[in-house]
Amino acid sequence: MNTTFLEYLVFFAAAAMVLGGAIGVITLKNPVHAALGLVLTLFGIAVQFVAQEAHFLAAVQIIVYAGAIVVLFLFVIMLLGVDNAMDLSIEPIRVQRPLAAIMGLGLVSLLTAAIIKADSATVLPNAVGDGLDIATVTGDSDSNIKQLAENLYGDHIFAFELTSVLLIVAVAGTVVLTRKWPRNQEMADAESANTSGTSK
Amino acid sequence: MIAAIEPSWYLILAAMLFSIGAVGLLIRRNPLVMFMCIELMLNAANLTFVALAIKLGDINGQTAVFFVMVVAAAEVVVGLSIIVSILRRKPGATADDLAELKG
């Protein structure tokens, strides 16, 4: 059993995970099942990252996406109690689903055609990276993390610092958005009661 | 003898994943599931970045994926809090019920 065959096996198994999970997300009625389909897709993407020697990103993918984001989704689903199955047979806009399917097929075929056409084109010499060759050349699994760290903390240190600001802003915004404001709430309720009373 | 896997295969897989996410965003009405479809599209973009980082031999593509993940985490936190505050006010709301921004 040669390595090329194993690569094929990994690629197609992970591709089946990715596409099967994605189709599960958009077709399953229960939001909890859709979130589990999302987990399947994210694990498949992590496998594809490992197959492409992006070991650090694969670990981050599992920790951040599958570990934090999907858990957050499930938390919100449970918290709001919207985990009852929705009736998917109702089609609010009449021809929307066939049109959406046609658009999806068109998008796939256009992108695939563009990829195949661009694959045969020659790469411009100045479009290739400046000596930061990926770890596949050396075969050392640690070198990917080293290269990524040097790139992240060297060239992109300012953007990296800005992400911390972004995360703080997101957390503060979430607290403000979801907090119940007791006094304002009463005032708003009284106001809406007044307006509904006068409109009647 | 079969050929080795080329980076364009990953790009085609990412294109299919992106299209599934876009179709899901159009046909679903539950705001949470629509949000999951946005995650699918973001992951397709990440897969494209990593595949092109291999193809061009440039580690900057993998750094971009790192930043996309950070922004996606922040986006999920803010988006879910908006969904929570909407659904608290209108239980069982779908995207059609939110067509007007009136509370």
Side-chain angles (χ1 to χ4, degrees), chain A residues 75-93:
Chain A
F75 226 81
V76 168
I77 291 168
M78 306 281 173
L79 192 71
L80 294 170
V82 290
D83 53 339
N84 47 345
M86 312 231 351
D87 189 8
L88 290 182
S89 58
I90 305 168
E91 202 177 359
I93 309 171

Side-chain angles (χ1 to χ4, degrees), chain B residues 40-94:
Chain B
L40 290 183
M41 292 196 281
L42 279 171
N43 272 283
N46 281 351
L47 192 56
T48 306
F49 266 125
V50 172
L52 286 177
I54 292 291
K55 188 180 166 82
L56 299 180
D58 192 342
I59 196 77
N60 280 304
Q62 297 192 4
T63 312
V65 173
F66 182 81
F67 286 120
V68 170
M69 280 180 180
V70 174
V71 173
E75 173 236 345
V76 163
V77 168
V78 175
L80 282 179
S81 74
I82 292 174
I83 291 175
V84 164
S85 51
I86 286 172
L87 289 185
R88 215 185 248 160
R89 201 173 271 255
K90 280 184 175 181
T94 63

Side-chain angles (χ1 to χ4, degrees), chain A residues 30-39 65-83, chain B residues 32 36 76 80:
Chain A
N30 194 326
V32 177
H33 297 167
L36 295 179
L38 187 63
V39 173
Y65 266 113
I69 290 183
V70 175
V71 170
L72 204 61
F73 268 112
L74 288 172
F75 226 81
V76 168
I77 291 168
M78 306 281 173
L79 192 71
L80 294 170
V82 290
D83 53 339
Chain B
L32 281 163
M36 290 179 205
V76 163
L80 282 179

